[in-house]
Amino acid sequence: AVVAVVRWRSPLEWNGEGTTKHFSEIFLGRCFVYTQIIRPELRNKDCTQIMAAFKGAFISKNPCSITKEDYQPLIQLDTKAVPCNKTLFWSKSKDLAHQYTWVHGNIFTLEDTLLGYIADDLTWCGDPSTSEVNEQSCPHWKKDNCPNNAASVFWKVVSQKFAEAACGVVQVMLNGSLSEPFYRNSTFGSVELLNLNPRKVHTLQAWVMHDIGGATSNSCSGSSLNELKLIAMSRNITFVCQDNY
Ligand code: N1C
């Protein structure tokens, strides 16, 4: 007799942390908190449909070959844009930026929008051999040489959309304690800055933050901020910089 040996293929092992435990419950919980409580004008959004579109981008796929197109069905479900003059970008200053928008109440980072709010601090990936998320491990972009992993591509896609939608004056909070507060390869430098629409955005205002009680600095006159200024100016966007805001 011929015996077919069907081997169960277990998910590949990667060097990064696996999908956040209780991913689906956290996803739905955050989606309902956002659409029912934080922005009740979104109360008719279908969180189950949003999660299905999100998972559809990476479930059952090679987690290192995710494309921007994979996230298009999800992006199309999120329609609400931030009002003009209310967009805040940040780079290497996430916690402070979020504390600021939380206290201020009327200025928005990407994590104050639906998709950013849901995905913030979560990890996720799939595997070609199953239709489940991989809770064991996910690719580490560097250690696994995997730039096109599910999370990195997601942040690229949503950051691009967030920047394209911005209008009026836009703000960016930078970390003045770093030698390069503006870093060209960051998401802000490589995606958001280049996707601002100069027909809609007239001014980019940088706030360079420093540790309270620490030394003040003059980063605005340094070479890193000058590089940002030149890129903004070449794109016909007025650049304003303020140290120690
Ligand atoms: O690479 P960065 O910062 O410059 O990206 C920040 C920039 C912000 O203005 C956001 O609009 O890009 C957007 N963004 C997020 O909102 C975000 N939330 C969580 C980009 N990345 C985001 N993350 C995760 O932090 C993601 O895993 C990414 O790789 C880091 C980038 O943080 P950074 O280097 O401080």
Side-chain angles (χ1 to χ4, degrees), residues 88-94 98 109-111 116 120-121 151-152 155 158-159 162 172 183 185-189 192:
L88 174 63
F89 302 109
W90 51 264
S91 195
K92 320 286 179 210
S93 54
K94 179 168 131 170
H98 290 161
T109 63
L110 180 52
E111 291 72 29
D120 195 21
D121 292 330
S152 295
W155 288 115
V158 294
S159 300
F162 185 60
V172 61
Y183 176 55
N185 293 332
S186 65
T187 306
F188 172 69
E192 292 174 329

Side-chain angles (χ1 to χ4, degrees), residues 151-171:
S152 295
V153 174
F154 169 84
W155 288 115
K156 231 177 238 170
V157 170
V158 294
S159 300
Q160 177 174 343
K161 175 116 194 281
F162 185 60
E164 284 169 353
C167 45
V169 184
V170 301
Q171 324 279 343

Side-chain angles (χ1 to χ4, degrees), residues 55-113:
K55 286 187 175 176
F58 67 93
I59 286 292
S60 301
K61 295 180 188 175
N62 177 339
C64 285
S65 318
I66 304 302
T67 65
K68 288 184 170 184
E69 289 68 39
D70 289 327
Y71 281 108
Q72 284 316 305
L74 173 70
I75 296 303
Q76 274 150 26
L77 294 176
D78 183 21
T79 45
K80 194 171 181 330
V82 168
C84 287
N85 311 317
K86 305 290 186 199
T87 296
L88 174 63
F89 302 109
W90 51 264
S91 195
K92 320 286 179 210
S93 54
K94 179 168 131 170
D95 292 342
L96 188 60
H98 290 161
Q99 284 171 25
Y100 180 81
T101 60
W102 174 247
V103 170
H104 189 287
N106 193 27
I107 184 157
F108 304 90
T109 63
L110 180 52
E111 291 72 29
D112 298 304
T113 70

Side-chain angles (χ1 to χ4, degrees), residues 27-28 30-33 35-36 44-52 114 118:
F27 190 108
L28 282 179
R30 287 185 176 179
C31 184
F32 282 120
V33 167
T35 57
Q36 299 299 313
N44 294 324
K45 290 265 179 195
D46 182 345
C47 288
T48 308
Q49 182 191 25
I50 292 170
M51 185 164 76
L114 176 60
I118 293 173

